[in-house]
Structures are given as structure tokens and as C-alpha cells.
Amino acid sequence: MDLRDIQNLIKFVAKSGASEVKLEMDDVKITIKTNPDETNREVYVQQLPVAQQLPQLSIQPQQALQTLPIVPTGNEAAPAKPAADSEDSKYITIKSPMIGTFYRRPGPDKPLFVEVGSTVAKGSVICIIEAMKLFNEIESEISGKIVKILVEDSTPVEFDQPLFLVDPS
């Protein structure tokens, strides 16, 4: 089971409202627990090695291989793409290269990387995406002027989700 399958399972469980789901396969045991009573619901996934079957013994390993905290946004719909004849079609979209949390500034007391109207050069840092406690600086792939910022600061983003519209002219 790869990461994409686990993420799809998490989304399904979050939408279903189930409080706990356990899945056991040949070499992996996954438990997804949610707390639906709280408004800020978190989902925890534990991927454990499945215990080898011993005669008349049931062994449950206690050491988790991986724990992924995921906070569902509740807005799981795919972002709208501009129509081919719309005004936005002349702009280039910078998309998220990974799943994580989008940040517009390097720290709480630091200035924004870019704002609407900012001119960016190819290779300049335009935002940070935090994934698994790692802060990844995202660099612009093109030079141009930021026309629109499509994501709010400190919100979760998906892989390939549009982040910025850039006018390359």
C-alpha cells in the first residue's frame, strides 16, 4: 500500500464520519482514528508491521513505524480551473509540488515572500510548504508578476493544487 492509497483512505474515513477504521493486509496494519466530537478534528494513521502468526498466540507489535497527523479541511472539492476563454487563461499557474501546509512567510514575525503585484524571478522563493515537520521552500519556475494568490496562508494544500497566477509578460 503506497502513500496515495493511505491518503485516499484517510479522506474516505474523514468524509464517512467513522470514528475508527482498522485495515490489515499481508505486511501492514493500519488504524485510522478520528475524534468527531471536537470541531477541529484530527486523523491519526498508524502503520504497524503485522505480527507473525505463532501457534495459539496473538502478538500485537507496539512500535509504530509511521504516524501521520492529517487535518481534513472539509473542503475536499478540486479547485476550479479557469475556462479556456477566461481572462485568467493568459496567466501561468504555479502549482504545489507536494502535499502539506502552505505558508506565505518564513516565520510569524517575518515579511511575506510575495504579494499580489510582486515581481518574481525564476528561482526566487515564493512560499513554504510544510510536510511531515519539514519546511520546503518553493521556488518560482518562471519570471513575472504575481497576479493572484489562490491559497490562504496556513492552509492545507494538495499535490498539483494551483497556488499562484503569474503574468509572464
Side-chain angles (χ1 to χ4, degrees), residues 71-161:
V71 181
T73 63
N75 182 9
E76 301 298 330
K81 294 181 180 178
D85 61 342
S86 78
E87 190 174 305
D88 290 346
S89 65
K90 65 182 179 181
Y91 302 130
I92 295 175
T93 304
I94 297 177
K95 297 180 180 182
S96 175
M98 65 185 65
I99 296 171
T101 304
F102 173 84
Y103 294 105
R104 293 187 56 201
R105 59 182 81 224
D109 55 343
K110 305 286 184 188
L112 298 171
F113 286 112
V114 294
E115 297 182 59
V116 173
S118 297
T119 302
V120 294
K122 183 175 182 174
S124 63
V125 177
I126 54 174
C127 67
I128 289 178
I129 297 183
E130 176 195 1
M132 302 287 293
K133 304 292 183 194
L134 295 174
F135 292 86
N136 303 284
E137 291 183 342
I138 307 304
E139 298 176 351
S140 177
E141 298 169 354
I142 57 166
S143 296
K145 182 178 174 182
I146 301 289
V147 176
K148 195 180 227 181
I149 300 172
L150 304 170
V151 180
E152 293 293 321
D153 192 30
S154 302
T155 58
V157 293
E158 295 290 326
F159 171 75
D160 215 28
Q161 178 177 342

Side-chain angles (χ1 to χ4, degrees), residues 3-18 32 34 41 43 45 70-79 99 156-159 161:
L3 185 59
R4 173 88 50 201
D5 293 334
I6 294 171
Q7 291 168 340
N8 289 335
L9 182 61
I10 291 168
K11 286 179 185 178
F12 178 76
V13 171
K15 286 181 183 178
S16 72
I32 302 173
T34 63
R41 188 166 73 174
V43 178
V45 177
I70 306 291
V71 181
T73 63
N75 182 9
E76 301 298 330
I99 296 171
V157 293
E158 295 290 326
F159 171 75
Q161 178 177 342

